[in-house]
Amino acid sequence: MSSKSGIDNGKNSSDFALKLENVSKCFQVYDKPHHRLLQGVFRGRKQYFKEYWALKDISFSVNRGEIVGIIGRNGAGKSTLLQIICGILAPTAGSIQINGRIAALLELGAGFNPEFTGRENVFLNGAILGLTQQEIQYRFDEIASFADIGNFIEQPVKTYSSGMYVRLAFAVATCVDPDILVVDEALSVGDVKFQAKCFRRFEELVAGGTTILFVTHSTEQIVRHCSWSILIEQSKIQEIGESKTVANHYFDLLFGVDRTKEEPLLDEYSCPDGSDSTVESVENKLNGVFEERSTYNSDEYRWGNGEAAIVDYLVTRDGKTNLSSIDGKDTFRVVLAVVFNVAVEKAIFGLTIKTPDGVTICGENSRDCIDAPASQSFKKGERVIVSFVLGQFLCLGEYLLSVGVVEEKDGELIPMDRRYDSIYLHISSEKKSYGLVDFGIRVEI
Ligand SMILES: Nc1ncnc2c1ncn2[C@@H]1O[C@H](COP(=O)(O)OP(=O)(O)OP(=O)(O)O)[C@@H](O)[C@H]1O
Ligand SMILES: [Mg+2]
């Protein structure tokens, strides 16, 4: 979508909460610290800095009561944008109109004085947000109860964990009835329970007419919670509009996947119902390099004795290989190419699906599954194609696949090649179910 506004929700345009027109921000970047000093001495006569445009030509408007997600890679310009909206940074060009009082939760470390107690910081912050002492006193109990950090409220903030810090900061920012709430990734340090509470609070605020702008790296969060979203890439708006489209686009950017480049298999190898493809058809496509696949996670954890190596993989479905995204209702395959560097009597191949924060959803291996293969011994130099067929129960979101091959010897399992969290997988879905697994729950009344 190329329009520079959010999804038109039919509201009057004078009902906007904020409006940005052609906002750009240029930073002066100095190669060496003393260049900054020299620049001061030489004023305009000589230039010691380079220009870096952190934002270019940003225009959009947000209506009251909308919750807007801002997503983009590291360094894209998201925090710079929020700081400009909050008035912490001045734009180099362009105009910003703000309709109401802003409360912000910017990057950790900003906002509180570390030497003061939580209680003192609540009063300090409230005052900065324009509340009187009485107004803050009136809300203090609500703030303390939302933050739920117990007696730490009387301790200096420098003794807080990052989670405790963000709990208190979130409580202050959301209990002062802001017209606009701006949140920069802060929630990601809170635990899952607190995050859920924050999103409930968002909903209450939005119902009361508050506008929320919210930076995250979670496509799931924007799809679930945002009225519409903005994707920022290299200082510019790359996509603006429906959160699902924005999320898909972001995912493509992350993994460099051009969806048109998914390689179709030969038709004759695809099953008539299109539900799957055979191992043979994939075999000759498995001659790439594991580490060069677009969904490979370079932060994988790999270990083992090297007697076998998982050298390539493909995610396949519906006659297509090299997939990065699977629809939540489809069956698909994860196919591995494994090379044996020594002869192995009994090898076991495994696969595990986890969430990015490490929750194991499901795992299976070739020894314990119902239709375990008959032959499990392999010769030195043998190349084997291992195919895991996955029936689908996952909810929308991002997942990580771990794969491994171990040798079973005298009742012991000896890891030969374990590649934990090595493959990214995006599950898309039309359906809005909550959690990780879709049990196909029906409601009957
Ligand atoms: N004060 C500054 N001086 C010079 N460059 C800056 C300054 N602040 C930010 N930048 C640069 O501007 C770019 C955008 O930074 P910004 O913090 O807005 O990114 P971001 O999208 O929030 O990234 P992340 O996801 O890592 O938080 C980066 O390249 C950063 O180095
Ligand atoms: Mg940032």
Side-chain angles (χ1 to χ4, degrees):
M1 197 172 130
S2 58
S3 149
K4 293 282 174 79
S5 65
I7 289 176
D8 179 13
N9 59 9
K11 284 188 188 173
N12 189 320
S13 60
S14 67
D15 215 14
F16 75 90
L18 69 144
K19 192 183 273 180
L20 278 78
E21 277 177 81
N22 307 104
V23 169
S24 298
K25 176 70 188 173
C26 181
F27 287 115
Q28 296 181 351
V29 186
Y30 294 88
D31 280 342
K32 299 204 172 90
H34 71 274
H35 284 173
R36 190 180 295 274
L37 207 69
L38 287 171
Q39 187 65 53
V41 174
F42 284 91
R43 306 275 163 110
R45 280 172 286 146
K46 197 167 172 195
Q47 185 171 316
Y48 284 91
F49 59 83
K50 283 187 226 132
E51 290 189 338
Y52 180 78
W53 289 88
L55 290 176
K56 288 183 200 155
D57 217 15
I58 306 286
S59 302
F60 63 89
S61 69
V62 182
N63 290 331
R64 266 187 234 271
E66 286 184 328
I67 167 161
V68 176
I70 302 174
I71 200 162
R73 294 197 276 189
N74 293 131
K78 306 177 294 296
S79 298
T80 307
L81 176 62
L82 291 196
Q83 288 177 66
I84 286 178
I85 289 170
C86 295
I88 296 167
L89 286 176
T92 311
S95 70
I96 299 138
Q97 284 172 271
I98 304 284
N99 211 344
R101 189 176 63 183
I102 295 193
L105 234 107
L106 299 182
E107 275 157 321
L108 220 57
F112 286 157
N113 184 327
E115 301 297 331
F116 291 2
T117 65
R119 178 186 291 272
E120 288 164 342
N121 269 298
V122 169
F123 278 86
L124 195 70
N125 251 253
I128 293 168
L129 290 165
L131 268 68
T132 64
Q133 292 287 102
Q134 276 142 326
E135 282 173 316
I136 306 165
Q137 188 62 54
Y138 177 71
R139 288 159 213 244
F140 184 81
D141 289 346
E142 187 194 348
I143 294 173
S145 132
F146 191 93
D148 195 16
I149 55 170
N151 214 28
F152 269 94
I153 194 101
E154 309 299 350
Q155 301 296 319
V157 159
K158 66 181 177 193
T159 63
Y160 286 17
S161 69
S162 45
M164 283 154 70
Y165 188 102
V166 86
R167 278 168 172 263
L168 188 61
F170 189 89
V172 175
T174 60
C175 294
V176 296
D177 298 333
D179 299 305
I180 303 165
L181 175 68
V182 171
V183 182
D184 191 351
E185 281 188 277
L187 303 183
S188 57
V189 299
D191 57 42
V192 177
K193 192 171 151 210
F194 185 70
Q195 280 189 24
K197 188 163 143 182
C198 292
F199 283 113
R200 280 200 303 278
R201 185 89 182 103
F202 277 178
E203 279 164 28
E204 287 164 20
L205 286 170
V206 162
T210 300
T211 303
I212 299 176
L213 245 74
F214 153 56
V215 165
T216 177
H217 284 112
S218 162
T219 52
E220 193 193 341
Q221 285 179 353
I222 65 165
V223 171
R224 282 211 197 294
H225 303 288
C226 297
S227 325
W228 52 276
S229 297
I230 302 171
L231 170 62
I232 302 199
E233 167 71 355
Q234 292 182 348
S235 320
K236 290 187 190 148
I237 292 183
Q238 172 108 8
E239 179 92 38
I240 183 165
E242 203 195 355
S243 300
K244 207 163 72 183
T245 315
V246 169
N248 282 337
H249 205 129
Y250 173 61
F251 194 75
D252 286 353
L253 270 184
L254 272 186
F255 303 117
V257 178
D258 179 352
R259 284 172 200 281
T260 58
K261 280 196 190 139
E262 290 163 357
E263 302 158 28
L265 294 172
L266 296 173
D267 280 348
E268 66 236 55
Y269 289 120
S270 302
C271 290
D273 65 354
S275 64
D276 212 342
S277 49
T278 61
V279 177
E280 293 80 5
S281 61
V282 179
E283 191 167 349
N284 45 17
K285 291 199 173 285
L286 267 168
N287 47 17
V289 178
F290 202 107
E291 293 79 2
E292 287 172 10
R293 293 289 180 193
S294 55
T295 52
Y296 167 64
N297 173 23
S298 55
D299 290 328
E300 69 164 334
Y301 176 60
R302 186 176 187 186
W303 61 294
N305 64 13
E307 291 186 352
I310 304 169
V311 294
D312 193 15
Y313 73 90
L314 282 172
V315 176
T316 78
R317 145 85 204 155
D318 200 12
K320 293 205 176 71
T321 60
N322 212 6
L323 298 175
S324 62
S325 182
I326 298 280
D327 193 288
K329 60 186 184 317
D330 291 339
T331 296
F332 65 102
R333 280 174 190 264
V334 178
V335 194
L336 308 176
V338 184
V339 173
F340 284 86
N341 298 317
V342 297
V344 172
E345 264 314 298
K346 187 170 182 192
I348 302 168
F349 306 94
L351 176 134
T352 304
I353 305 174
K354 281 194 260 177
T355 62
D357 47 12
V359 177
T360 300
I361 300 165
C362 183
E364 190 54 278
N365 67 63
S366 58
R367 179 190 61 185
D368 300 337
C369 65
I370 299 164
D371 41 4
S375 163
Q376 293 167 344
S377 73
F378 302 95
K379 293 196 278 288
K380 182 180 174 183
E382 195 170 347
R383 184 183 159 94
V384 186
I385 304 297
V386 183
S387 179
F388 296 90
V389 182
L390 289 90
Q392 268 286 44
F393 303 104
L394 291 176
C395 290
L396 175 138
E398 268 117 61
Y399 299 90
L400 286 165
L401 303 179
S402 301
V403 291
V405 51
V406 300
E407 181 182 12
E408 188 172 9
K409 207 174 190 178
D410 307 324
E412 245 188 279
L413 295 179
I414 305 157
M416 295 188 283
D417 194 8
R418 276 191 164 147
R419 308 191 72 154
Y420 288 176
D421 302 337
S422 56
I423 304 167
Y424 283 103
L425 180 70
H426 175 71
I427 299 290
S428 62
S429 177
E430 290 293 321
K431 226 173 118 185
K432 259 200 171 182
S433 27
Y434 297 95
L436 303 170
V437 178
D438 183 355
F439 285 108
I441 297 173
R442 289 183 304 133
V443 185
E444 292 174 357
I445 299 174

